[in-house]
Amino acid sequence: MTDTIHPCPLCAYAASTRDGVYAHLLTSHRKSEISTVLLETRTSVVEPNPP
Ligand SMILES: [Zn+2]
């Protein structure tokens, strides 16, 4: 039961372990890039200004 893959939230990369994705994020993506995606994701879910 080791068929689980852990996709990178920022690109098409996928690793067989969560640590693999973590290492990929640290080595292949910049902090600013990760922060931007994180903020965009959060702001798209939460709507602070209801109509
Ligand atoms: Zn990635």
Side-chain angles (χ1 to χ4, degrees):
M1 294 295 188
T2 54
D3 291 347
T4 304
I5 59 166
H6 300 262
C8 170
L10 304 182
C11 71
Y13 176 87
S16 56
T17 65
R18 192 177 173 188
D19 285 348
V21 181
Y22 184 76
H24 160 79
L25 280 169
L26 293 179
T27 57
S28 300
H29 295 288
R30 298 182 181 279
K31 264 187 191 173
S32 59
E33 187 179 357
I34 298 171
S35 301
T36 299
V37 173
L38 183 62
L39 279 174
E40 286 178 351
T41 303
R42 290 282 182 160
T43 51
S44 66
V45 172
V46 180
E47 295 183 8
N49 299 313

